[in-house]
C-alpha cells in the first residue's frame, strides 16, 4: 500500500502542488489515496476550505522596493525561515518507507516548523533525532490518561518545543471513502508511539467499516473538557496550542485559560461536515484573542497566494497537510522539500507583486472584499461551557 520509488527527476517536473497531487494519485493504491484525500460526509467542508481562498482578491500596491523579500518570522518565540509549516498527519509510512523522519528532514532543510502526530508511524524519538528545525507534538487526549502523560514526558525529553492538542475529535466523523474501501492499516504500519493496548484492531479490513474510526471511538477521551486543560497544563511547561478552534467564543476562553496558541482548523474537512471553512473562521478567532496568543490556520492551502491571504487575515503562519504527503509519496524527503519550496517561492512572488516585501506589511487592506475583523458576540461566551 505504499508508493513505488520515483524515477530520477520526476518531482522536478512537478512545479505546482496540483502536479504533485496527480503524481501521488498515480502512485498510491486507491484506498490509501482516498484516506489522504477524503473528508467526512458529503465533503462540503473539504471543498469549502479551498473555495474560501477564491472569494478574496488581492489589492496590489506599486512602486515599492521589492528587491529583497523577507519571509522569516517567529512561532512561539522561536525563529522559522517561512510562515509555512507541516500540519500533523498520521502514518506517513503509508506513502513512503521513510515516513515522518523523511518529512521532518525536509522541513528542517528549509527552517520550517513540523508538527508530528500522536499516530505517527515513526517513534517520536526517531522523528526528533531527524529534525533540524522546530518540532511540535500533536496530542489526542486518550481515555487512559497515563498514556497521554507518557507522551508528554517523552516529548519533553526528546526536545519537542510545544504540544498541539487536537480538540475537534472527541469521536471520528464518518469518512465515507474509508467506509466504502473498508480501510485498514497494512500489517507493517502501526501507531508506534502507543502501547499494545492502543494497537488493537487496526489491521483487519471489513467492507463498510473503517478500523481507524473504530479505534478512535475506543480510545479517544470524549469526556475531555475545558476543566481538564488544567490537568494537561500541570504536566508540562511546554507551550500549549489548541487545534480545531473555529469560534471566537472558544478562542477567547482558551486565551483566558493561558493557552499559548490556536490553530484554526476543520481537520482538513474530515470532522464536522458543513462546518465553517477555516479561512472564514480565522478573522473572528484573531479578533477574540490577545496578540500573545498566536493564531495559525490550516486547510485548503494550495498556492502561495493562499498563504498571503491567510496572513492578511491575521494568521501568524499556515500549516499544510495533504500536499506534504503528495510530495513524500512522489520523492520522499526531496519531494516534501520541493512542495514547501514551491509554496515559499510562490509566496515570495506574491509578496513582491503586491508590494509587501516584509511579513509585517501584510494587513487586511491587502484583500478585496475587506474582511470584517470586529467580534460582536451574539451569545454569551459561556453558553456552551
Amino acid at each position: 500500500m505504499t508508493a513505488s520509488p520515483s524515477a530520477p527527476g520526476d518531482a522536478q517536473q512537478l512545479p505546482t502542488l496540483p502536479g504533485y497531487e496527480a503524481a501521488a494519485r498515480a502512485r498510491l493504491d486507491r484506498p490509501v489515496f482516498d484516506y489522504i484525500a477524503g473528508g467526512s460526509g458529503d465533503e462540503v467542508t473539504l471543498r469549502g476550505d479551498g473555495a474560501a481562498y477564491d472569494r478574496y482578491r488581492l489589492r496590489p500596491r506599486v512602486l515599492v522596493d521589492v528587491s529583497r523579500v523577507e519571509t522569516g518570522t517567529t512561532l512561539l518565540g522561536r525563529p522559522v525561515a517561512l510562515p509555512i509549516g507541516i500540519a500533523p498527519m498520521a502514518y506517513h509510512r503509508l506513502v513512503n518507507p521513510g515516513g515522518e523522519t523523511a518529512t521532518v528532514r525536509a522541513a528542517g532543510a528549509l527552517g520550517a516548523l513540523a508538527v508530528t502526530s500522536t499516530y505517527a508511524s515513526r517513534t517520536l524519538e526517531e522523528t526528533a533525532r531527524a529534525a533540524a528545525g522546530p518540532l511540535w507534538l500533536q496530542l489526542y487526549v486518550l481515555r487512559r490518561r497515563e498514556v497521554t502523560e507518557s507522551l508528554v514526558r517523552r516529548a519533553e525529553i526528546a526536545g519537542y518545543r510545544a504540544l498541539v492538542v487536537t480538540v475537534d475529535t472527541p469521536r471520528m466523523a464518518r469518512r465515507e471513502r474509508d467506509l466504502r474501501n473498508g480501510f485498514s492499516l497494512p500489517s507493517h504500519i502501526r501507531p508506534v508511539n502507543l502501547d499494545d493496548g492502543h494497537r488493537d484492531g487496526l489491521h483487519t479490513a471489513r467492507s463498510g467499516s473503517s478500523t481507524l474510526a473504530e479505534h478512535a471511538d475506543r480510545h479517544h477521551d470524549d469526556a475531555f473538557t475545558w476543566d481538564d486543560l488544567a490537568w494537561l497544563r500541570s504536566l508540562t511547561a511546554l507551550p500549549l496550542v489548541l487545534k480545531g478552534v473555529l469560534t471566537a467564543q472558544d478562542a477567547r476562553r482558551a486565551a483566558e485559560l493561558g493557552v499559548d496558541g490556536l490553530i484554526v482548523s476543520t481537520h482538513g474537512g474530515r470532522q464536522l461536515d458543513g462546518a465553517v471553512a477555516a479561512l472564514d473562521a480565522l478573522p473572528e478567532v484573531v479578533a477574540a484573542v490577545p496578540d500573545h496568543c498566536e493564531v495559525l490556520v490550516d486547510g485548503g492551502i494550495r498556492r502561495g497566494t493562499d498563504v498571503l491571504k491567510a496572513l492578511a487575515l491575521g494568521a501568524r503562519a499556515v500549516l499544510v497537510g495533504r500536499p506534504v504527503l503528495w510530495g513524500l509519496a512522489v520523492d520522499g524527503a526531496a519531494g516534501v522539500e520541493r512542495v514547501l519550496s514551491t509554496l515559499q517561492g510562490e509566496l515570495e512572488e506574491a509578496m513582491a507583486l503586491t508590494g509587501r516585501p516584509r511579513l509585517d506589511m501584510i494587513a487586511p487592506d491587502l484583500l478585496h472584499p475587506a474582511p470584517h475583523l470586529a467580534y460582536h458576540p451574539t451569545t454569551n461566551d459561556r453558553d456552551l461551557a
Side-chain angles (χ1 to χ4, degrees):
M1 281 191 162
T2 58
S4 59
S6 61
D10 275 2
Q12 295 176 357
Q13 307 305 314
L14 304 167
T16 67
L17 271 58
Y20 277 96
E21 180 181 17
R25 184 192 298 269
R27 293 174 179 280
L28 296 172
D29 290 346
R30 175 66 179 271
V32 172
F33 184 83
D34 279 354
Y35 167 68
I36 295 167
S40 61
D42 292 319
E43 300 187 344
V44 172
T45 297
L46 173 64
R47 295 189 297 274
D49 269 346
Y53 288 91
D54 294 335
R55 290 197 290 272
Y56 288 101
R57 296 294 182 265
L58 299 170
R59 302 177 63 247
R61 300 296 301 272
V62 299
L63 297 178
V64 177
D65 180 357
V66 294
S67 57
R68 179 176 178 179
V69 175
E70 301 174 2
T71 61
T73 186
T74 61
L75 292 173
L76 300 181
R78 294 185 178 273
V80 291
L82 62 162
I84 303 166
I86 295 177
M89 297 168 288
Y91 306 121
H92 290 207
R93 290 185 65 213
L94 279 171
V95 304
N96 183 278
E100 288 79 6
T101 56
T103 302
V104 301
R105 279 199 303 272
L110 293 176
L113 169 69
V115 187
T116 193
S117 170
T118 291
Y119 293 128
S121 49
R122 293 285 185 189
T123 69
L124 60 88
E125 291 83 5
E126 288 178 300
T127 304
R129 287 193 295 270
L135 188 62
W136 298 354
L137 177 66
Q138 176 270 338
L139 284 176
Y140 288 110
V141 176
L142 304 171
R143 291 180 181 175
R144 288 173 53 203
R145 293 286 180 86
E146 70 274 14
V147 178
T148 301
E149 183 171 353
S150 173
L151 289 171
V152 172
R153 303 295 184 211
R154 289 169 60 192
E156 288 179 320
I157 294 169
Y160 287 75
R161 299 300 186 183
L163 300 176
V164 176
V165 185
T166 295
V167 294
D168 63 358
T169 316
R171 63 176 64 185
M172 190 176 288
R174 285 175 57 87
R175 300 172 187 175
E176 295 182 4
R177 297 198 208 193
D178 292 349
L179 297 177
R180 287 193 296 269
N181 292 327
F183 184 74
S184 66
L185 293 180
S187 59
H188 66 287
I189 295 177
R190 53 195 176 89
V192 296
N193 289 304
L194 303 179
D195 60 23
D196 289 342
H198 289 84
R199 298 174 184 175
D200 55 313
L202 286 169
H203 301 105
T204 304
R206 296 188 307 279
S207 178
S209 69
S210 164
T211 60
L212 299 188
E214 293 169 358
H215 181 273
D217 288 345
R218 285 194 301 274
H219 297 296
H220 286 195
D221 188 351
D222 54 5
F224 186 73
T225 71
W226 292 106
D227 293 337
D228 296 304
L229 279 181
W231 164 77
L232 196 57
R233 176 77 285 168
S234 73
L235 298 180
T236 180
L238 289 175
L240 290 183
V241 178
L242 299 191
K243 179 179 181 291
V245 173
L246 291 171
T247 66
Q249 293 93 329
D250 285 344
R252 177 171 290 178
R253 187 158 190 188
E256 289 172 351
L257 293 174
V259 167
D260 300 282
L262 301 170
I263 301 174
V264 180
S265 173
T266 68
H267 212 105
R270 295 158 76 83
Q271 280 301 103
L272 177 64
D273 196 31
V276 60
L279 189 75
D280 290 337
L282 177 62
E284 72 169 84
V285 170
V286 170
V289 300
D291 289 344
H292 62 77
C293 183
E294 297 185 2
V295 180
L296 291 76
V297 67
D298 68 18
I301 293 159
R302 299 295 181 266
R303 289 285 185 179
T305 49
D306 297 339
V307 180
L308 185 66
K309 292 170 185 178
L311 299 178
L313 289 174
R316 184 80 178 180
V318 306
L319 299 179
V320 179
R322 292 176 176 93
V324 168
L325 294 182
W326 302 337
L328 186 65
V330 171
D331 203 16
V336 174
E337 187 173 341
R338 277 191 280 268
V339 163
L340 295 176
S341 294
T342 296
L343 280 174
Q344 182 179 23
E346 290 180 354
L347 172 62
E348 290 175 355
E349 177 184 277
M351 290 171 65
L353 294 180
T354 56
R356 272 79 168 184
R358 300 191 316 273
L359 297 183
D360 62 6
M361 299 174 70
I362 299 172
D365 68 351
L366 174 65
L367 300 178
H368 175 83
H372 300 288
L373 294 181
Y375 167 50
H376 301 291
T378 57
T379 60
N380 188 285
D381 282 0
R382 300 298 187 212
D383 281 352
L384 298 180

